[in-house]
Amino acid sequence: MHTPIQHLYKPAQDSEDLLYAWFSSMHTRVDCILCAGKSEAELMLVANHIYDALCLLEKTANFYDPTSELAHVNRTAAQGPVVLSRELYTMIDMCLEYHKKTLGCFDVTIHSENYNKETIHAVQLSPAGQSIFFQQAGVSINLSGFLKGYALESIKEILKTHGIENALISMGNSSVLALGNHPAGSGWKINFGNHPNTTTDNKNLSILLQNNCLTTSGNDSDERKHIVSPQSGQLVEGNKQIAVVTENGAIGEILSTGLFAANPEQREVLITTFRPLLLDLFLIGY
């Protein structure tokens, strides 16, 4: 099957072969570096598996695709229960769970009509029927602040299945999975660039990732503001970013989004609450 994947391959006699592949998915560029004692064809099979998995996730949970399963849910779940695929049920169930754990700062119903902090309670999941029902009209679920992190976990399983122990997957430079080691050394070094007004547990704005995920949320510029505060219902102001390092990409995406949307008091509580899961934390521009 033809896919729009571009790639470079470098065989190595004294180390693992390397494949660098890149393609567009989930409204961003996805870069994959795969290192293993495998042929070009074998590594391209892995890259295609990753591409196909991301396409399937988009057809399941892309808020902006009117043909996705999630879009169908948003159109019809206020009329009666809608049976969900296991994948979408799992995603929504996790998001509802972490809405409570993040003091409401992570809220997938933020783009509903006439949104308020109680809107998410209109979303009712039925484990027995694996179905969803919206108890009021106008409710919609947007998984955009979660999906790329969830995708990293899917990619991690694909790499494990294919026996790839050393890899770097970057989705738009904001959701990154690092496994094993770079061909030239230990781990994978990620640099954030120069951000002088930054509060961080790691004062050097670079980090060595190894078998974990880096996820970031924020506003790089006025043109890219997209995160809404559940408290005010307005876009979060300021050229700021929050980045977290976690073992699980889905949880990392939730925490970076929730921490960015939180007010200062809530943020302090969440940092304390989730400290066991936060391997590192960057508050950029704060």
Side-chain angles (χ1 to χ4, degrees):
M1 181 180 66
H2 173 73
T3 58
I5 300 177
Q6 301 183 67
H7 77 282
L8 298 171
Y9 175 72
K10 181 181 178 182
Q13 297 180 353
D14 56 351
S15 62
E16 294 184 326
D17 298 341
L18 183 149
L19 180 83
Y20 171 40
W22 64 97
F23 54 85
S24 294
S25 184
M26 295 189 178
H27 307 288
T28 194
R29 171 171 164 145
V30 179
D31 293 277
C32 306
I33 300 175
L34 309 176
C35 307
K38 297 180 181 292
S39 67
E40 181 177 4
E42 289 173 318
L43 290 175
M44 275 303 294
L45 181 65
V46 179
N48 275 277
H49 193 171
I50 292 171
Y51 176 86
D52 290 342
L54 295 185
C55 289
L56 182 59
L57 281 177
E58 283 200 286
K59 294 305 295 181
T60 300
N62 185 349
F63 176 78
Y64 301 100
D65 180 356
T67 68
S68 73
E69 182 185 358
L70 180 63
H72 172 72
V73 168
N74 286 335
R75 286 193 300 268
T76 61
Q79 302 167 19
V82 178
V83 176
L84 301 176
S85 65
R86 182 178 299 275
E87 189 108 74
L88 187 57
Y89 184 96
T90 298
M91 284 189 270
I92 295 175
D93 188 41
M94 185 176 184
C95 289
L96 295 182
E97 174 189 355
Y98 275 87
H99 172 265
K100 298 177 183 177
K101 291 183 176 181
T102 60
L103 309 178
C105 295
F106 177 76
D107 191 335
V108 294
T109 63
I110 197 78
H111 293 102
S112 300
E113 296 176 14
N114 302 313
Y115 169 82
N116 62 63
K117 290 190 289 185
E118 301 302 315
T119 298
I120 196 165
H121 300 302
V123 178
Q124 299 296 311
L125 286 178
S126 170
Q130 196 172 292
S131 63
I132 189 169
F133 174 61
F134 296 160
Q135 292 181 316
Q136 64 188 52
V139 174
S140 63
I141 292 174
N142 187 339
L143 298 177
S144 300
F146 166 79
L147 191 57
K148 286 193 291 184
Y150 185 89
L152 292 183
E153 290 303 300
S154 298
I155 294 171
K156 188 187 298 182
E157 288 303 310
I158 291 170
L159 296 174
K160 181 179 179 180
T161 298
H162 288 276
I164 306 294
E165 297 181 351
N166 303 303
L168 182 74
I169 311 296
S170 175
M171 302 184 69
N173 297 322
S174 63
S175 302
V176 179
L177 167 66
L179 295 182
N181 299 308
H182 185 280
S186 298
W188 299 85
K189 186 176 182 180
I190 306 296
N191 195 304
F192 289 94
N194 184 24
H195 296 276
N197 299 322
T198 298
T199 302
T200 174
D201 288 354
N202 186 337
K203 297 301 181 182
N204 181 13
L205 282 185
S206 65
I207 188 169
L208 192 68
L209 298 179
Q210 191 172 43
N211 299 319
N212 43 36
C213 299
L214 171 73
T215 54
T216 64
S217 296
N219 298 324
D220 292 340
S221 65
D222 288 340
E223 292 76 22
R224 292 192 70 246
K225 290 180 182 177
H226 62 286
I227 297 178
V228 177
S229 164
Q231 288 77 41
S232 67
Q234 303 298 314
L235 289 169
V236 178
E237 296 295 332
N239 187 4
K240 302 175 181 179
Q241 295 182 65
I242 287 182
V244 301
V245 178
T246 56
E247 291 185 358
N248 184 289
I251 292 175
E253 203 79 56
I254 288 170
L255 294 183
S256 64
T257 302
L259 286 168
F260 187 80
N263 63 38
E265 293 75 19
Q266 291 171 324
R267 189 173 300 120
E268 289 301 317
V269 173
L270 293 180
I271 290 173
T272 300
T273 300
F274 288 102
R275 177 59 66 184
L277 301 180
L278 293 171
L279 305 180
D280 216 328
L281 170 68
F282 297 83
L283 304 179
I284 303 171
Y286 285 81

